[in-house]
Amino acid sequence: LVLFLRDSHIWIQYNMSFWDSIDYNNSRKVLVIPNITNSSNIDKDSFVDVIHNHIKALDSYGDYYWNILMPTGKLSKKLNLSNVKQHQIDIPGDMMNQRSFPSSDLISILKNIEYDVIYSHLPDWPQVGRYKKTMDTKIVGYCHWWEMKSCNGPDNRAGKAKWMWLPIELLGISQMDTCYLNTQDQKNRVLAEAGETFNKEFVQKLDDILEVWNLGLPEDRIVDTISDTKEKVIVFNHRAASYKGYPKFIELMKEYREQRQDFVVWVPQLSGKAPYSWIDNTKVPKHEYYKRLQDCTVGIQMRQSNYGWSVSGTDCMMNGTPMIWQDSDCYREIDPDGMFFKYKKELFEYLDNMLDNTIFRKNKESNSIERAKQLSTNEGRMIGKLHKKLMG
């Protein structure tokens, strides 16, 4: 038992930390709607990473208290923070089914807990706007994934979606004050597809609501020095999935192996046994992953169907490993002066230069580090804007 004085009140602390005793009655209370895509390993879920970073960054801007909805039985250790309460509801683990979540639990939460503003990372649930606390309750959004024709569209297989969820997603966004997304390219494509269903006035409303949040990267993670002894490793540090262009990447690497065999391909997110002896799919902890990236010669980013930001790309850049990008407008937002290819001949020429020409490689490494430093300012700037939205 500990007695201590705080704000002219005597507080009793018994078998709890100091911070558990803080009174959050005067805090800005935020209800967070999640977008869970990795419920089997919740602390490696990308949404958990994003909201954790936003919570920690906003600590220095104001006094916040966070109510976060989480799947039943899937509480996050990373979100076990003094100013966070995790509320368990039955959210489907499948990403597609999650979108059409039957929301009786959600309605109960919206009705019964105390909050000032909603921060929804799943505009696919328009019930959030329908059952929010009052008519004036503001919703700020963040859309991580779009169900457009180009990505996760209709699928004729049994049990798969035969109709896209995009119109429902856009109805959810239309109820928001602001909804963030990660590239201008993505925004342009969303608006183009919205025009196939909705009138010009509605599309203009979406244009006003959607705001680009180009992701940043941690400045303290940017390497100061670049390794002089790079290994001849080409890294594909993205998910080994079709929407990330993995099958096409492997086709290209098989063809490049016909020209030369003095390189290895590292695919750290490839599960199971590697299909070829020249593919290394060793999985390592995050700190070792960064160290191994520093020893790679180059990374490759194929065009992906959601036209979003590439965190794996900036992972390489901040560790002094340049990326070769398959030409796409969203990647030019990340690395406008980077190496881009449309045809395999261009890709193979870049790879030859990176593997053989030390001067060329070092120049590209320096450019990657400098661009990473520029990108490191993104997050702080956008967190300031988010603070104003949540407090407004």
Side-chain angles (χ1 to χ4, degrees):
L1 178 67
V2 179
L3 299 179
F4 59 95
L5 183 67
R6 178 176 177 268
D7 297 334
S8 302
H9 292 84
I10 294 177
W11 289 76
I12 298 176
Q13 181 175 331
Y14 178 73
N15 197 27
M16 61 178 67
S17 71
F18 171 89
W19 296 110
D20 288 329
S21 305
I22 294 178
D23 181 1
Y24 285 105
N25 285 334
N26 295 322
S27 301
R28 184 68 167 174
K29 297 174 182 64
V30 185
L31 173 60
V32 179
I33 310 297
N35 180 2
I36 305 295
T37 57
N38 189 5
S39 59
S40 62
N41 193 341
I42 201 69
D43 276 322
K44 289 191 176 180
D45 183 82
S46 57
F47 159 77
V48 171
D49 276 340
V50 168
I51 197 64
H52 173 269
N53 292 341
H54 288 186
I55 290 169
K56 298 303 291 182
L58 286 165
D59 280 347
S60 61
Y61 281 83
D63 190 8
Y64 284 95
Y65 188 84
W66 303 84
N67 292 288
I68 304 179
L69 305 189
M70 297 294 284
T72 301
K74 303 291 184 179
L75 298 185
S76 164
K77 294 179 182 178
K78 194 176 291 185
L79 296 178
N80 186 21
L81 304 170
S82 60
N83 61 339
V84 171
K85 181 174 177 59
Q86 300 180 61
H87 300 265
Q88 300 183 68
I89 63 173
D90 289 328
I91 301 173
D94 179 82
M95 183 173 70
M96 300 299 287
N97 291 338
Q98 178 179 264
R99 289 173 166 166
S100 52
F101 169 64
S103 58
S104 57
D105 285 350
L106 173 66
I107 294 168
S108 177
I109 290 284
L110 290 165
K111 177 182 177 182
N112 293 319
I113 73 167
E114 186 180 355
Y115 58 91
D116 303 306
V117 61
I118 296 171
Y119 190 24
S120 176
H121 287 243
L122 198 65
D124 310 65
W125 294 354
Q127 301 96 323
V128 172
R130 183 173 176 85
Y131 295 104
K132 63 185 181 178
K133 185 73 73 176
T134 71
M135 297 288 286
D136 296 328
T137 301
K138 180 192 287 187
I139 304 174
V140 178
Y142 195 124
C143 191
H144 299 260
W145 184 263
W146 299 88
E147 193 172 295
M148 296 184 287
K149 290 178 181 177
S150 61
C151 54
N152 239 353
D155 190 324
N156 201 42
R157 291 176 295 172
K160 299 295 183 179
K162 305 299 181 290
W163 177 81
M164 288 189 298
W165 202 250
L166 182 64
I168 307 301
E169 198 170 18
L170 296 178
L171 289 174
I173 288 168
S174 71
Q175 302 172 71
M176 297 177 176
D177 178 84
T178 298
C179 184
Y180 296 107
L181 74 173
N182 289 137
T183 68
Q184 183 64 45
D185 188 12
Q186 198 174 67
K187 176 176 177 177
N188 293 343
R189 292 173 186 275
V190 168
L191 294 176
E193 289 203 22
E196 297 176 12
T197 304
F198 299 102
N199 61 29
K200 291 181 180 179
E201 289 76 16
F202 187 87
V203 174
Q204 182 58 56
K205 180 178 181 178
L206 293 175
D207 191 9
D208 294 338
I209 292 172
L210 292 170
E211 182 172 342
V212 175
W213 182 324
N214 283 162
L215 294 176
L217 48 84
E219 185 177 12
D220 60 352
R221 290 283 189 177
I222 302 174
V223 297
D224 295 320
T225 57
I226 302 171
S227 173
D228 286 327
T229 56
K230 291 276 190 174
E231 299 176 11
K232 289 191 175 182
V233 176
I234 299 168
V235 62
F236 186 92
N237 57 327
H238 327 282
R239 291 179 182 174
S242 58
Y243 79 94
K244 292 290 187 180
Y246 178 69
K248 181 62 178 177
F249 167 76
I250 291 299
E251 285 182 26
L252 289 167
M253 290 300 96
K254 286 168 65 177
E255 188 167 346
Y256 190 51
R257 291 283 301 183
E258 296 174 6
Q259 298 184 20
R260 59 190 297 169
Q261 296 79 44
D262 60 339
F263 66 90
V264 172
V265 173
W266 182 34
V267 190
Q269 296 194 58
L270 176 63
S271 299
K273 184 180 178 180
Y276 304 102
S277 60
W278 44 271
I279 294 180
D280 173 14
N281 64 336
T282 303
K283 294 171 176 56
V284 294
K286 194 68 171 280
H287 67 282
E288 191 175 338
Y289 159 72
Y290 286 148
K291 180 63 176 68
R292 284 199 62 170
L293 285 181
Q294 294 166 27
D295 294 329
C296 295
T297 296
V298 66
I300 293 179
Q301 171 72 75
M302 302 298 292
R303 186 181 298 118
Q304 54 187 358
S305 58
N306 66 338
Y307 304 99
W309 198 258
S310 173
V311 173
S312 50
T314 56
D315 280 353
C316 280
M317 292 167 64
M318 72 183 184
N319 283 288
T321 299
M323 294 296 290
I324 302 175
W325 314 87
Q326 187 174 17
D327 201 12
S328 187
D329 287 346
C330 58
Y331 297 150
R332 291 185 181 273
E333 295 177 46
I334 301 172
D335 193 11
D337 298 318
M339 296 178 283
F340 291 87
F341 75 95
K342 290 184 178 179
Y343 308 104
K344 64 185 177 185
K345 180 181 178 181
E346 297 169 293
L347 170 62
F348 295 168
E349 286 176 354
Y350 275 132
L351 287 173
D352 283 343
N353 272 310
M354 290 299 295
L355 292 169
D356 297 333
N357 189 329
T358 302
I359 295 174
F360 181 88
R361 172 175 60 80
K362 285 184 174 294
N363 177 260
K364 295 302 181 183
E365 290 167 353
S366 297
N367 291 348
S368 292
I369 293 295
E370 288 307 308
R371 180 56 181 165
K373 290 177 180 177
Q374 295 171 11
L375 292 174
S376 70
T377 65
N378 282 356
E379 204 71 1
R381 175 172 49 82
M382 295 307 301
I383 287 292
K385 289 188 174 184
L386 176 60
H387 168 64
K388 292 179 180 179
K389 297 290 184 180
L390 293 176
M391 283 291 188

